Amino acid sequence: KAGVTQTPRYLIKTRGQQVTLSCSPISGHRSVSWYQQTPGQGLQFLFEYFSETQRNKGNFPGRFSGRQFSNSRSEMNVSTLELGDSALYLCASSLSGRGAGELFFGEGSRLTVL
Amino acid sequence: DAKTTQPPSMDCAEGRAANLPCNHSTISGNEYVYWYRQIHSQGPQYIIHGLKNNETNEMASLIITEDRKSSTLILPHATLRDTAVYYCIVRALYNQGGKLIFGQGTELSVKP
């Protein structure tokens, strides 16, 4: 079956703009998590959605937001982009996010802020 | 903060076993040890997880010490495709949802 799909794969924005990234989880998976990966900070948890509700949140400013739709697809938005937001944004899905199941990651969306 | 400590890098000869150590001395009784790896420019990939018994699957074996303060991931016959960053993560089985706390990991280089 199809894996986790993230779009777009690459994008370039300028400071002050906003960006929306999309994630389609594996069919049947209800939990979607988002991560930011930078060379300096490594992989950091942004937030998790389950059944259209935010269930967990990392330590990121309010400029980072997300949502989940009834079909479990998720979007994350970053407003007022800063140079430091340049990163690989990864989405992961799991059946429920609890229990012994693992997370399945997408290939990521690489954002460059100029 | 990550609750695990791993060496930043390791080398392994192709065809030999790769043994990747992880220290998790503050692990709680309800926390599992998970291993993921990330091949360059790809998303992390789940490898294996365990609580206190040794575990084996088609990718690797996980050896957890009796006191559960450390573990070793074993790739029995490393190939060039196993070159990646390997992350050891401790995670409570419940109440964590999709949240994983990644450390810096071990960069494994498999050499011909």
Side-chain angles (χ1 to χ4, degrees):
Chain A
K1 59 185 176 183
V4 177
T5 303
Q6 293 188 243
T7 57
R9 290 292 313 279
Y10 303 90
L11 66 167
I12 300 173
K13 294 286 187 179
T14 57
R15 281 179 297 174
Q17 287 188 311
Q18 74 163 11
V19 66
T20 299
L21 308 178
S22 178
C23 173
S24 293
I26 292 172
S27 178
H29 285 194
R30 299 169 63 191
S31 166
V32 174
S33 303
W34 288 91
Y35 290 79
Q36 181 197 65
Q37 185 171 29
T38 60
Q41 299 298 318
L43 272 158
Q44 293 184 282
F45 173 77
L46 279 158
F47 32 63
E48 180 207 6
Y49 287 86
F50 178 76
S51 292
E52 302 177 64
T53 301
Q54 189 179 86
R55 186 162 66 175
N56 268 309
K57 189 177 188 305
N59 188 26
F60 278 81
R63 299 185 298 107
F64 293 82
S65 63
R67 60 177 176 169
Q68 186 180 34
F69 302 95
S70 58
N71 62 357
S72 293
R73 189 178 71 86
S74 177
E75 289 180 347
M76 68 162 284
N77 183 278
V78 188
S79 62
T80 320
L81 284 166
E82 301 175 0
L83 295 179
D85 297 332
S86 294
L88 179 66
Y89 291 87
L90 291 157
C91 164
S93 78
S94 64
L95 277 172
S96 70
R98 299 181 188 273
E102 65 263 32
L103 302 188
F104 295 84
F105 284 82
E107 296 293 310
S109 293
R110 185 167 296 279
L111 170 66
T112 300
V113 182
L114 302 176
Chain B
D1 291 339
K3 299 171 68 174
T4 62
T5 304
Q6 299 176 253
S9 63
M10 293 181 64
D11 289 340
C12 178
E14 188 178 20
R16 305 297 294 269
N19 297 283
L20 292 92
C22 179
N23 180 286
H24 33 78
S25 58
T26 61
I27 193 170
S28 302
N30 68 343
E31 289 182 319
Y32 284 62
V33 179
Y34 279 74
W35 283 83
Y36 282 76
R37 73 180 182 183
Q38 186 175 25
I39 296 170
H40 183 63
S41 297
Q42 297 183 20
Q45 176 191 24
Y46 166 83
I47 301 173
I48 198 168
H49 74 281
L51 182 63
K52 57 182 178 180
N53 298 319
N54 297 340
E55 302 287 344
T56 296
N57 63 20
E58 64 279 3
M59 288 183 68
S61 294
L62 174 60
I63 308 298
I64 302 174
T65 57
E66 193 168 342
D67 63 8
R68 302 208 324 121
K69 293 184 177 182
S70 65
S71 61
T72 301
L73 178 75
I74 300 172
L75 308 178
H77 305 287
T79 70
L80 299 179
R81 288 192 298 268
D82 292 321
T83 293
V85 178
Y86 288 77
Y87 296 98
C88 170
I89 300 165
V90 294
R91 177 191 182 202
L93 186 58
Y94 295 101
N95 302 321
Q96 289 295 308
K99 179 179 181 180
L100 297 177
I101 306 298
F102 286 86
Q104 295 305 308
T106 295
E107 185 166 8
L108 176 68
S109 296
V110 180
K111 300 182 184 299

